[in-house]
Amino acid sequence: MTRKLVVIGAGMASGRMLEHLFDQAPGQWDVTLFNAEPRGNYNRLMLSPVLSGDKTYAQIVTHDSDWYLAQGVTCRFGEAVVGIDREAQIVHGARGPVEYDALVIATGSAPFIIPLPGHKLPGVVAYRDLEDTNAMIEASRPGATAVVIGGGLLGLEAAAGMAARGAEVTVIHLMGHLMERQLDPAAGYLLQRDLEKRGIRIHCKGATKAILGTDRVEAVLLEDGTTYPADLVCMAVGIRPETRLANDAGLEVARGITVDDQMRTSDPAIFALGECVEHDGQLFGLVAPLYDQAKVLAATLAGTPAAFMPLQTATKLKVTGCDLFSAGDFAEGPGREDIVFRDPGRGIYKRLILEGDRLIGAVMYGDTADGPWFFDKIRSGADITADRDTLIFGPAFAGGAQADPLAAVAALPPEAEICGCNGVCKGTIVTAIQGGAATLDAVRGLTKASASCGTCTGLVEQVMALTLGDGFAANANPPMCKCTDHTHEDVRRLIKSMGLKSIPAVMQDLGWKTVGGCASCRPALNYYLIADWPLDYRDDRQSRFVNERNHANIQKDGTYSVVPRMWGGVTTSAELRAIADAADRYAVPMIKVTGGQRIDLLGVRKEDLPAIWSDFNQAGMVSGHAYAKGLRTVKTCVGTDFCRFGTQDSTGLGIRLEKLLWGSWTPAKVKLGVSGCPRNCAEATCKDIGVVCVDSGFQISVAGAAGMDVRETEPLLTVDTEDEVCEVIAAFVQLYREQARYLHRIYKWVDKVGLDWAREQVADPATRAGLIERFRLSQTIYQTDPWAEHAARPDEWAPVADLRLRAAE
Amino acid sequence: MSQLIDIAALEDIPPQGARVVRTPQGCVAVFRTADDRVFALDDRCPHKGGPLSEGIVHGTSVTCPLHNWVFDMATGQAQGADSGAVATHAVRVEGGRILLDASVIRRVA
Ligand SMILES: Cc1cc2nc3c(=O)[nH]c(=O)nc-3n(C[C@H](O)[C@H](O)[C@H](O)COP(=O)(O)OP(=O)(O)OC[C@H]3O[C@@H](n4cnc5c(N)ncnc54)[C@H](O)[C@@H]3O)c2cc1C
Ligand code: SF4
Ligand code: FES
């Protein structure tokens, strides 16, 4: 007996299901197929090649009208189903009802459209079907502009497709890096770099505010005020299961239509499969599991027992030239370990995630050839303990010799190239070492090996270890932290020479061994990037130590101390009144005068910080940066204004210096002192930089300290005018900013580079001018009061929720 | 996880950052990692009470801002040479919302 089957949606899942069904149970069902799209089944995955022009629509059709006709299917294409009457077992199409004995819902997903102002303008499309694809093709004439909102899998395929047709494409992505669900920041950076090479502009951390235009789209406006012109806007920000029909019919729906292992919904006569379903709490957005569902449902309809068991899925990005593969679960978690491999030169990134003795996830970029092999290990759950050391090298190494890096280097012939930048081969290095070069610097000096980009430093050291044997004491300068083999000095040099401008870029291109660094390297990298690329780099708040993130000093009980700036230690009655008022208003437990001639309000609660800042800003005061690796205070004495010994206006000069230097970030804190005569009431000679005014001019001395080490300053230069004092000090501070290792105070840095060298730099007019210019450029960006910015967003400082009341209810 | 409380949107916490939730049992720090996973820990370091919510988040670890103890956020265990643990709370993200185990609002006896 033939029974009536109605299928809603002619997508990839139902197409495959019908194929199986006609194979297994020919003639058993009389099928009516509805599809909102005016066509039968095509391979939706292949829309991207159609968009980029690599394929035509005809090439991606899987089941056309003729196929359905041959199977006796009644096709109602271009007709959406508008309702299901479960009691009467009738499906209502837009053009009339059909009865069913069994019903299959396969309505797929609906793309998310963010309801931004302007989202309904003509020219705004999603990326879901052939109509969207054709609209994008239409709009991708050479010279046209397009904006894609969303830097996930689909958004990037849309962007690459339109770019391949000659459009000028910008991708706006809310998160810090592309495809954040699949990739970590380092792999995201590689992907971004590859896409940028194809002329696609990528704007990460970009929140779209509105789509602009009158009759159709013209541009996209971001929260930060940037606008990008757009003849077309493609929104690819996500999908959600298309469950409206099921909802209206009163079926059980969670995020998707709830189905059991047989793909049956809460109504035994109704089945569902594909992206619209939820099985065991899980949704499905890739075809592999849908095909499994199709098999199960066909069997169920044919009366054969079958059960759906979701398996791991793998993702690829279908953008020619961007090789990306990710499979399994690659989030970090308890008991999970990462193996990370980076080959900076070839732009390769691989990361394996292990849990116990099993491989559970893999992400790779740049070389995905081994993807299927890893995927197989993930699915089979094989024990990988034995291969662990070489696992990341893939099947080529599987079960083979243990990879001893030293043995590999030993096996290299003398003519093997070690340093690619300078074309230095192993033999040259060995000769240099045998000729007496015993340190890395000596080898560098003689052969140039590892003197440019430096990524071969490790190799050079291995050659040294092999040649010198026990005589080789590996680099006495320890690496920056456990995340890398590079020293701070190497990292600083490489950031400059390789033009690395973000933390993920540094981590990828310098071969970081951890996924996201640690609390020791991240603040250092953030500082180096700020110092080296003031215009290009955007500060990463989350890589800052708490004091700088909150612009106040954390105290032992988790409260903060707040210190407004008092230029040169001078204040006014109005400022004192404002400070006293704030102390009352925020119930400050202690008010203390600091050693740097300022007033410290101790014990301020975090959530009060924005308000107290805002009060100080209104009273004309800015942050004292008392917490910063940056300029802190300039201590002064009274000088000629009141003191009978004063030779110069030390107070005025101190204020001038503080106004010049404040707001600049430095490797460690910087304190200055200016005394009006050698009696030195400002204690200038135990500061990082001190100035002692004398009748004939100004003695500038540096490298003092009065902390854990107590040091007297050493003379740097003596100059005639205040202007020159300012120039020399600005140049010296900039030299320190550019050269020193993070957390090294000036005295430590001077010990390393030598005071004579530093003096030569700031004394040479051309070098000094360059340093001053770079310092001023950086100040145009960073000499801003952090309080002004944060006081405007007080919400972020308070607890995100207060459950104490809820508990009382 | 028995009962869940919706505490905030995922977006309310910056990636690699944390926000605090006040509960009758003290503050709970809710962390978000670079890859959008969330963890909830008591906001008190077992060493000297440092606010873990202000630590630097790296991978699934957080470094206490006061004396640099490092904790695995999933287990609450101190890492490396330090020993001790901080209590963890079940938390998950669903539909962009952060859901926290309701046992945190149970009154302490
Ligand atoms: C551009 C693009 C690229 C992709 N790339 C990949 C990839 O590389 N790998 C991968 O695994 N997956 C990929 N996917 C996802 C994959 O295409 C989907 O997972 C799959 O198509 C879902 O199949 P489905 O049958 O559930 O839904 P669909 O294929 O979406 O079919 C649902 C059909 O139901 C119709 N419909 C909806 N409501 C009604 C109604 N009320 N009445 C009648 N008809 C209705 C719709 O018009 C649609 O034709 C991609 C998707 C897109 C859009
Ligand atoms: S340092 Fe000299 S000028 Fe300054 S206050 Fe002391 S005695 Fe007077
Ligand atoms: S209080 Fe956390 S490490 Fe000391």
Side-chain angles (χ1 to χ4, degrees):
Chain A
M1 190 195 71
T2 345
R3 298 200 296 150
K4 290 191 282 292
L5 177 69
V6 173
V7 179
I8 311 175
M12 300 196 63
S14 72
R16 183 57 70 94
M17 189 278 289
L18 288 174
E19 220 174 275
H20 287 306
L21 183 63
F22 297 139
D23 271 356
Q24 286 181 32
Q28 200 175 315
W29 293 93
D30 173 14
V31 182
T32 304
L33 177 60
F34 284 93
N35 199 23
E37 288 183 64
R39 60 184 70 83
N41 204 335
Y42 56 93
N43 187 343
R44 200 174 298 281
L45 274 57
M46 290 297 154
L47 286 177
S48 295
V50 171
L51 175 59
S52 62
D54 292 336
K55 280 203 158 54
T56 63
Y57 171 67
Q59 288 174 297
I60 69 166
V61 172
T62 53
H63 305 89
D64 56 13
S65 314
D66 292 345
W67 186 84
Y68 290 114
L69 204 64
Q71 308 294 330
V73 175
T74 312
C75 295
R76 296 179 58 164
F77 292 156
E79 178 178 1
V81 168
V82 293
I84 301 168
D85 183 341
R86 284 165 55 194
E87 218 145 287
Q89 298 210 332
I90 289 175
V91 162
H92 292 284
R95 291 194 284 274
V98 195
E99 281 178 19
Y100 67 82
D101 297 308
L103 172 64
V104 171
I105 305 178
T107 45
S109 294
F112 257 137
I113 298 290
I114 315 172
L116 296 167
H119 74 276
K120 288 199 170 127
L121 286 170
V124 180
V125 300
Y127 190 15
R128 184 74 206 162
D129 57 25
L130 186 63
E131 275 70 30
D132 299 331
T133 310
N134 284 337
M136 283 191 269
I137 293 174
E138 180 86 2
S140 305
R141 302 167 312 277
T145 52
V147 168
V148 175
I149 303 177
L153 213 54
L154 277 193
L156 297 183
E157 290 188 8
M162 289 192 280
R165 287 187 182 264
E168 196 184 299
V169 184
T170 305
V171 175
I172 296 166
H173 190 51
L174 189 60
M175 307 303 294
H177 67 274
L178 296 174
M179 289 184 67
E180 76 286 350
R181 301 213 179 278
Q182 287 86 12
L183 304 181
D184 70 11
Y189 151 76
L190 282 180
L191 173 59
Q192 171 162 352
R193 201 177 58 181
D194 281 357
L195 291 168
E196 280 169 349
K197 275 195 207 134
R198 290 151 202 266
I200 297 173
R201 190 194 286 131
I202 311 275
H203 186 132
C204 284
K205 294 191 186 161
T208 314
K209 188 171 183 185
I211 297 172
L212 310 178
T214 36
D215 301 328
R216 63 172 282 123
V217 291
E218 285 162 23
V220 171
L221 169 69
L222 305 195
E223 293 284 356
D224 67 7
T226 323
T227 49
Y228 292 110
D231 300 311
L232 178 122
V233 174
C234 173
M235 269 214 218
V237 293
I239 53 174
R240 62 180 158 68
E242 177 54 90
T243 58
R244 282 176 298 181
L245 281 176
N247 265 325
D248 293 349
L251 293 175
E252 195 180 300
V253 174
R255 284 175 302 162
I257 305 169
T258 316
V259 293
D260 64 12
D261 291 355
Q262 279 67 47
M263 312 314 294
R264 203 183 296 267
T265 68
S266 56
D267 178 334
I270 304 182
F271 301 83
L273 85 166
E275 277 184 350
C276 59
V277 307
E278 177 170 337
H279 175 270
D280 204 10
Q282 201 186 339
L283 299 176
F284 304 89
L286 294 172
V287 291
L290 309 190
Y291 284 170
D292 290 340
Q293 294 176 359
K295 243 186 242 161
V296 170
L297 180 53
T300 307
L301 290 172
T304 335
F308 172 61
M309 253 190 25
L311 284 173
Q312 302 277 11
T313 49
T315 314
K316 275 192 163 195
L317 179 68
K318 301 189 300 300
V319 172
T320 330
C322 295
D323 270 332
L324 178 153
F325 178 91
S326 88
D329 185 351
F330 36 80
E332 296 164 44
R336 292 185 178 177
E337 289 172 278
D338 292 289
I339 301 178
V340 181
F341 170 86
R342 303 175 199 259
D343 183 338
R346 291 187 299 147
I348 290 175
Y349 171 88
K350 298 183 187 184
R351 176 171 159 220
L352 300 180
I353 296 88
L354 308 181
E355 195 170 58
D357 53 10
R358 289 183 318 121
L359 181 66
I360 60 163
V363 194
M364 53 208 86
Y365 190 87
D367 173 10
T368 55
D370 299 338
W373 187 77
F374 289 123
F375 189 36
D376 186 55
K377 292 231 175 288
I378 294 172
R379 292 183 85 143
S380 67
D383 184 335
I384 47 84
T385 327
D387 306 326
R388 191 184 154 125
D389 291 349
T390 52
L391 190 65
I392 194 116
F393 303 111
F397 269 85
Q402 298 290 302
D404 174 3
L406 221 50
V409 176
L412 290 176
E415 56 277 6
E417 188 178 83
I418 300 284
C419 171
C421 297
N422 297 296
V424 187
C425 61
K426 181 179 161 190
T428 314
I429 298 172
V430 171
T431 313
I433 299 166
Q434 284 161 349
T439 66
L440 183 61
D441 278 345
V443 172
R444 252 184 211 153
L446 275 174
T447 66
K448 285 249 176 310
S450 85
S452 300
C453 90
T455 46
C456 61
T457 305
L459 270 180
V460 175
E461 283 177 337
Q462 282 164 8
V463 174
M464 294 180 69
L466 281 168
T467 317
L468 293 170
D470 290 342
F472 174 69
N475 206 340
N477 194 354
M480 203 164 150
C481 65
K482 62 175 178 13
C483 306
T484 176
D485 293 332
H486 290 296
T487 61
H488 279 269
E489 288 69 19
D490 279 341
V491 170
R492 287 218 80 164
R493 191 169 43 77
L494 295 172
I495 284 175
K496 271 303 217 194
S497 66
M498 297 170 70
L500 305 176
K501 297 191 176 173
S502 70
I503 291 179
V506 173
M507 290 186 174
Q508 171 60 31
D509 281 350
L510 303 188
W512 241 243
K513 293 183 289 190
T514 53
V515 178
C518 69
S520 153
C521 58
R522 285 237 310 276
L525 293 181
N526 190 50
Y527 168 72
Y528 294 153
L529 291 163
I530 280 181
D532 287 346
W533 316 109
L535 299 184
D536 300 328
Y537 179 68
R538 296 239 317 260
D539 181 37
D540 177 21
R541 263 191 96 204
Q542 302 307 337
S543 292
R544 283 193 180 264
F545 181 64
V546 53
N547 285 353
E548 290 180 355
R549 193 172 342 109
N550 291 341
H551 298 290
N553 236 329
I554 196 162
Q555 306 298 327
K556 59 183 269 189
D557 61 353
T559 63
Y560 290 83
S561 79
V562 167
V563 182
R565 201 168 276 288
M566 284 180 183
W567 308 100
V570 175
T571 185
T572 64
S573 55
E575 284 183 355
L576 289 172
R577 217 168 270 125
I579 291 173
D581 286 345
D584 286 346
R585 193 165 304 133
Y586 303 101
V588 167
M590 182 188 258
I591 306 172
K592 187 176 183 312
V593 175
T594 71
Q597 299 180 330
R598 291 182 298 193
I599 292 177
D600 193 356
L601 302 171
L602 288 139
V604 179
R605 297 183 312 154
K606 181 184 175 192
E607 56 258 52
D608 287 339
L609 289 175
I612 197 168
W613 293 338
S614 150
D615 288 3
F616 285 142
N617 274 168
Q618 272 167 29
M621 286 180 275
V622 299
S623 168
H625 287 93
Y627 46 79
K629 310 276 176 259
L631 178 84
R632 302 256 177 117
T633 50
V634 181
K635 188 169 180 176
T636 60
C637 73
V638 294
T640 44
D641 269 4
F642 289 91
C643 178
R644 66 201 158 108
F645 300 111
T647 65
Q648 310 274 1
D649 176 14
S650 53
T651 313
L653 176 56
I655 293 174
R656 218 179 132 181
L657 283 168
E658 188 163 352
K659 295 212 158 154
L660 173 70
L661 301 175
W662 77 279
S664 59
W665 300 104
T666 45
K669 65 181 170 189
V670 173
K671 295 179 172 180
L672 273 66
V674 185
S675 287
C677 81
R679 285 174 183 76
N680 194 15
C681 293
E683 294 157 350
T685 50
C686 61
K687 297 284 183 272
D688 296 282
I689 302 174
V691 181
V692 174
C693 307
V694 289
D695 278 322
S696 59
F698 304 84
Q699 297 169 342
I700 305 171
S701 61
V702 297
M708 290 210 277
D709 289 307
V710 180
R711 303 261 303 234
E712 189 183 348
T713 53
E714 293 178 64
L716 183 73
L717 287 171
T718 298
V719 298
D720 296 334
T721 64
E722 279 196 3
D723 285 351
E724 261 184 293
V725 173
C726 292
E727 284 177 15
V728 168
I729 290 181
F732 182 78
V733 167
Q734 179 65 13
L735 191 64
Y736 168 57
R737 298 180 72 227
E738 290 178 1
Q739 301 286 334
R741 162 199 301 207
Y742 191 63
L743 299 186
H744 268 189
R745 294 278 299 270
I746 284 180
Y747 72 92
K748 282 207 177 147
W749 166 67
V750 166
D751 277 353
K752 258 184 69 203
V753 299
L755 186 58
D756 291 342
W757 176 83
R759 185 183 299 114
E760 269 167 38
Q761 304 297 306
V762 293
D764 176 65
T767 313
R768 185 196 296 184
L771 287 164
I772 292 172
E773 195 187 312
R774 292 198 292 281
F775 182 72
R776 287 192 192 281
L777 178 77
S778 172
Q779 288 293 73
T780 61
I781 311 285
Y782 285 100
Q783 194 171 60
T784 54
D785 181 37
W787 292 355
E789 178 201 337
H790 291 295
R793 292 182 279 118
D795 289 352
E796 291 170 22
W797 299 77
V800 70
D802 190 339
L803 302 179
R804 289 172 307 181
L805 293 174
R806 191 103 61 110
E809 277 164 17
Chain B
M1 240 188 288
S2 45
Q3 229 191 321
L4 298 168
I5 307 182
D6 182 332
I7 50 165
L10 182 63
E11 269 61 53
D12 291 335
I13 305 181
Q16 296 188 305
R19 294 290 295 275
V20 160
V21 176
R22 282 209 176 105
T23 82
Q25 307 167 24
C27 287
V28 170
V30 182
F31 296 89
R32 173 177 175 189
T33 65
D35 60 4
D36 281 354
R37 290 156 56 84
V38 294
F39 295 96
L41 310 175
D42 279 356
D43 194 22
R44 268 186 69 80
C45 175
H47 177 219
K48 291 194 171 172
L52 294 176
S53 56
E54 296 295 355
I56 290 179
V57 174
H58 43 101
T60 49
S61 302
V62 60
T63 299
C64 177
L66 293 197
H67 317 98
N68 291 331
W69 282 28
V70 179
F71 297 90
D72 179 336
M73 296 193 288
T75 61
Q77 285 294 329
Q79 306 290 289
D82 302 313
S83 65
V86 55
T88 61
H89 302 279
V91 64
R92 69 163 185 249
V93 180
E94 225 169 66
R97 304 293 304 179
I98 299 173
L99 308 178
L100 181 65
D101 188 342
S103 64
V104 296
I105 63 171
R106 239 177 267 140
R107 293 216 159 265
V108 261

